[in-house]
């Protein structure tokens, strides 16, 4: 399942892109462990020789981690990538809010005479710190993408469709089928 909202929040927290290839991720792990293949092996739960084979592959040998190890390497790098910067950016987002820009399918549940057909819309709005805290709390709790969509749909519905509570009282907005989503600090 694609976790568009969670991935968008993760991109917000980084100032430099996380290494994409497994080789670059291994280089980052080695740099953090001061070049010690023994330390990297201990962190990954494999032998030192296995890490050495991954770092310096030779013809005819298994020079590449299996998919399970690749996933573990990627998770470790993401978790350790720019921790102080991530913490500062998250604190700023939770205090001052974020700007969200998305193209998604928005549907409505309202009183009689209104259309509830979902429509693809491009919406940009500023979410306050309280809503941003809810979204990050949901990310920390590892809730489903549907729960993220519910939180974000309610916030964008209030902001964009109800004009911060000035019109369309009782309108319930649903958010589905996110085409893209971007978050930015204020």
């Amino acid at each position: 399942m694609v976790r568009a909202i969670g991935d968008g929040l993760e991109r917000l927290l980084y100032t430099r892109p996380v290494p994409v290839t497994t080789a670059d991720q291994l280089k980052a792990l080695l740099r953090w462990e001061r070049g010690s293949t023994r330390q990297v092996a201990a962190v990954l739960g494999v032998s030192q020789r296995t890490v050495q084979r991954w770092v310096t592959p030779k013809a005819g040998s298994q020079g590449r981690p299996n998919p399970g190890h690749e996933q573990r390497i990627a998770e470790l790098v993401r978790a350790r990538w720019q921790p102080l910067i991530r913490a500062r950016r998250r604190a700023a987002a939770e205090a001052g809010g974020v700007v969200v820009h998305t193209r998604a399918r928005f549907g409505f549940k309202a009183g009689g005479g209104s259309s509830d057909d979902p429509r693809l819309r491009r919406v940009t709005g500023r979410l306050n710190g309280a809503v941003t805290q809810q979204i990050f709390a949901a990310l920390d709790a590892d809730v489903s993408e549907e729960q993220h969509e519910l939180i974000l749909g309610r916030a964008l519905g209030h902001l964009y469709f109800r004009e911060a509570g000035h019109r369309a009282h009782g309108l319930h907005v649903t958010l589905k089928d996110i085409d893209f989503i971007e978050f930015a600090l204020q």
Side-chain angles (χ1 to χ4, degrees):
M1 169 191 280
V2 175
R3 295 187 50 97
I5 297 170
D7 291 345
L9 288 171
E10 287 295 323
R11 282 191 305 273
L12 168 73
L13 298 178
Y14 299 122
T15 56
R16 288 185 325 206
V18 179
V20 177
T21 67
T22 303
D24 289 340
Q25 292 167 351
L26 279 169
K27 287 178 189 175
L29 286 174
L30 281 166
R31 186 172 58 246
W32 294 329
E33 298 298 339
R34 294 182 175 87
S36 170
T37 55
R38 178 173 295 166
Q39 293 290 8
V40 172
V43 169
L44 292 173
V46 296
S47 71
Q48 181 179 3
R49 182 68 189 121
T50 300
V51 173
Q52 290 170 344
R53 276 196 314 266
W54 292 343
V55 174
T56 56
K58 293 183 179 163
S61 71
Q62 168 112 16
R64 213 187 133 128
N66 67 34
H69 287 125
E70 284 182 346
Q71 182 178 0
R72 176 79 173 122
I73 291 167
E75 288 170 357
L76 280 171
V77 170
R78 271 196 306 276
R80 295 171 96 183
W81 192 253
Q82 300 182 304
L84 296 176
I85 292 170
R86 285 173 45 92
R88 275 189 241 130
R89 289 178 67 90
R90 179 170 174 165
E94 289 180 345
V98 295
V99 174
V100 60
H101 179 66
T102 186
R103 184 173 59 219
R105 196 163 304 281
F106 289 89
F108 308 95
K109 294 179 184 170
S114 68
S115 170
D116 61 354
D117 293 336
R119 296 184 183 110
L120 193 63
R121 295 178 187 260
R122 186 180 297 241
V123 175
T124 300
R126 181 185 177 278
L127 303 178
N128 64 31
V131 173
T132 306
Q133 287 174 359
Q134 282 182 334
I135 295 171
F136 274 115
L139 182 67
D140 292 342
D142 199 29
V143 301
S144 67
E145 185 72 4
E146 291 79 21
Q147 187 65 29
H148 274 120
E149 290 171 352
L150 179 69
I151 295 167
L152 193 58
R154 189 176 7 177
L156 289 174
H158 179 74
L159 180 74
Y160 183 80
F161 296 99
R162 292 192 306 256
E163 292 181 357
H166 290 95
R167 68 180 187 93
H169 302 291
L171 180 70
H172 177 71
V173 177
T174 60
L175 171 67
K176 294 286 181 200
D177 302 329
I178 297 173
D179 188 24
F180 73 86
I181 189 162
E182 296 173 0
F183 294 92
L185 292 175
Q186 295 294 309

